[in-house]
Amino acid sequence: MKRLVFIIAALVLLLNKANGQEFAEFKWVNDSVSGRYIEKLAILLPVQIDNLPNRFLMQLDLGSNQTVIRGNTIGSFYQKYPDLKSKLDTINLCKVQTHECPHINDLNVKIGGVFDCNVNAACFQGYGVKVPVDSLSTEVEILIGSIGVDALKNKILIIDYPNNRMSIANPSAVDVSEYSFIPYQFLKENEDNRLLLPFSANGQDFRVMFDTGASMFQLSAPEKNAKMICDSQAVDSLLINSWGEKKKIIGLESNVELRFGEKVLPQLKVYYDPSNKYDFFYESNNIFGLTGNALFLNNVIMIDYQNKRFGIKKSIN
């Protein structure tokens, strides 16, 4: 039996170190939304935080320009780990959604025991679950926040959706020959590294943001944009939770040709928020909408943050 366990562990290690490239496994959040079971709702990465012995999970959220730590949850650790509390910067504030947040400076986040990221994370005060640190087993996994694009500056990110694994590397260490690339733009050069992919609808050129935090939807957009490319009759509606806030969204079906670069997309369900709460963000940044994991679940993708290109691994026939 021990020999079998050793063989399985060795095979997993080989799989996760393909061609010299190291990978960390991730897990999917699955849950019911409006009574409907969603199998792949969000990507969770196993992480270590500084020198804390506990096991943590963080969502991979490329729709966020910064790594975010849940204030209630991390606050449970301050008394036992005063060095962690000393990193809290309540003077230099940042914004998460509409909330003013302090930073936790010089935070070391190690992903999957393999990839080290050092960030000044936003601490979202009042968010998350308080945990009983002294009575908590170090084997229990604690959801502590989300990894944003600040952790990936000048790196290459590979997401292998079929095998539930990811890798972070320097561009010089990666073989890019197996990928087909399209160029992308940053939302704001040198300020905001969220990426905007070229997208066309019925021959018109637009930009969509790639957001792994928007796993549920192949495409979401402001109402007027959704209705520009879809039939007007609603085919779906959902009540979702976004940063602790409940909101209703409406789904329509596309009726025009949609493309990423030269890739023609299938007919999509396109969702919009009838409250129009975030329309100003889309309009002021010239963004048509959001896409995320749902369009690429059968693919291996590469995001080259240094050379600003988005790659899809070529099929091997």
Side-chain angles (χ1 to χ4, degrees):
M1 184 66 179
K2 288 183 178 178
R3 180 176 173 80
L4 178 60
V5 171
F6 176 79
I7 291 171
I8 292 171
L11 287 172
V12 170
L13 182 62
L14 286 171
L15 177 65
N16 288 335
K17 203 166 183 180
N19 299 321
Q21 184 71 43
E22 290 191 283
F23 285 83
E25 295 183 16
F26 61 75
K27 60 176 67 178
W28 287 100
V29 175
N30 36 62
D31 204 352
S32 291
V33 178
S34 292
R36 186 183 314 165
Y37 181 71
I38 308 294
E39 185 179 1
K40 295 181 176 180
L41 195 57
I43 290 175
L44 292 184
L45 305 172
V47 302
Q48 296 165 271
I49 302 289
D50 278 3
N51 62 344
L52 274 59
N54 302 80
R55 297 173 63 188
F56 297 99
L57 294 169
M58 297 182 76
Q59 182 183 353
L60 179 63
D61 186 4
L62 303 188
S64 174
N65 195 41
Q66 55 196 333
T67 295
V68 177
I69 298 295
R70 297 181 172 203
N72 283 348
T73 310
I74 198 71
S76 302
F77 292 85
Y78 287 158
Q79 184 172 352
K80 190 168 185 178
Y81 300 98
D83 286 349
L84 177 67
K85 186 177 182 179
S86 71
K87 295 184 176 186
L88 187 65
D89 178 358
T90 57
I91 297 174
N92 300 300
L93 303 180
C94 60
K95 249 185 189 177
V96 176
Q97 299 296 315
T98 56
H99 301 269
E100 294 282 348
C101 298
H103 283 100
I104 301 177
N105 290 329
D106 194 29
L107 192 69
N108 182 258
V109 179
K110 190 164 191 171
I111 300 172
V114 180
F115 309 110
D116 281 299
C117 305
N118 193 271
V119 293
N120 293 334
C123 185
F124 198 157
Q125 303 286 58
Y127 191 60
V129 177
K130 295 180 181 180
V131 296
V133 175
D134 288 328
S135 61
L136 193 66
S137 166
T138 55
E139 296 305 305
V140 175
E141 293 182 317
I142 304 165
L143 183 59
I144 196 73
S146 56
I147 298 281
V149 295
D150 54 334
L152 302 167
K153 188 174 182 180
N154 294 326
K155 300 290 188 181
I156 277 183
L157 171 67
I158 298 172
I159 306 177
D160 182 346
Y161 287 106
N163 291 306
N164 297 341
R165 60 184 192 161
M166 54 81 69
S167 180
I168 301 171
N170 293 316
S172 60
V174 178
D175 180 6
V176 300
S177 63
E178 296 180 333
Y179 292 81
S180 297
F181 288 97
I182 56 174
Y184 67 77
Q185 297 173 314
F186 287 136
L187 182 60
K188 293 178 183 176
E189 193 70 44
N190 299 322
E191 293 181 34
D192 193 322
N193 288 337
R194 286 178 285 185
L195 61 97
L196 305 178
L197 298 173
F199 166 80
S200 70
N202 207 25
Q204 286 186 270
D205 293 330
F206 300 102
R207 306 187 302 173
V208 292
M209 182 183 290
F210 180 73
D211 177 7
T212 55
S215 297
M216 285 179 61
F217 313 118
Q218 295 173 317
L219 184 64
S220 61
E223 182 175 359
K224 67 176 184 177
N225 291 353
K227 290 182 174 178
M228 182 194 309
I229 62 172
C230 293
D231 294 324
S232 58
Q233 184 175 355
V235 295
D236 196 12
S237 67
L238 292 167
L239 188 66
I240 67 169
N241 183 23
S242 176
W243 293 98
E245 179 183 338
K246 294 282 187 182
K247 64 179 182 179
K248 183 180 181 180
I249 56 170
I250 306 295
L252 308 175
E253 286 213 331
S254 64
N255 60 10
V256 300
E257 183 182 83
L258 306 175
R259 290 174 176 260
F260 278 130
E262 297 302 313
K263 179 181 173 63
V264 178
L265 301 176
Q267 185 181 48
L268 304 181
K269 278 186 182 175
V270 183
Y271 288 84
Y272 69 88
D273 176 359
S275 75
N276 303 318
K277 182 176 179 180
Y278 297 105
D279 284 11
F280 176 76
F281 170 77
Y282 291 101
E283 291 170 3
S284 61
N285 290 290
N286 190 25
I287 300 171
F288 185 88
L290 297 180
T291 191
N293 301 316
L295 273 182
F296 302 97
L297 294 178
N298 296 318
N299 300 113
V300 179
I301 67 167
M302 176 186 290
I303 303 173
D304 183 343
Y305 281 94
Q306 185 175 83
N307 298 300
K308 292 193 292 187
R309 53 186 182 172
F310 182 95
I312 299 177
K313 195 169 187 178
K314 302 169 189 174
S315 299
I316 300 175
N317 299 320

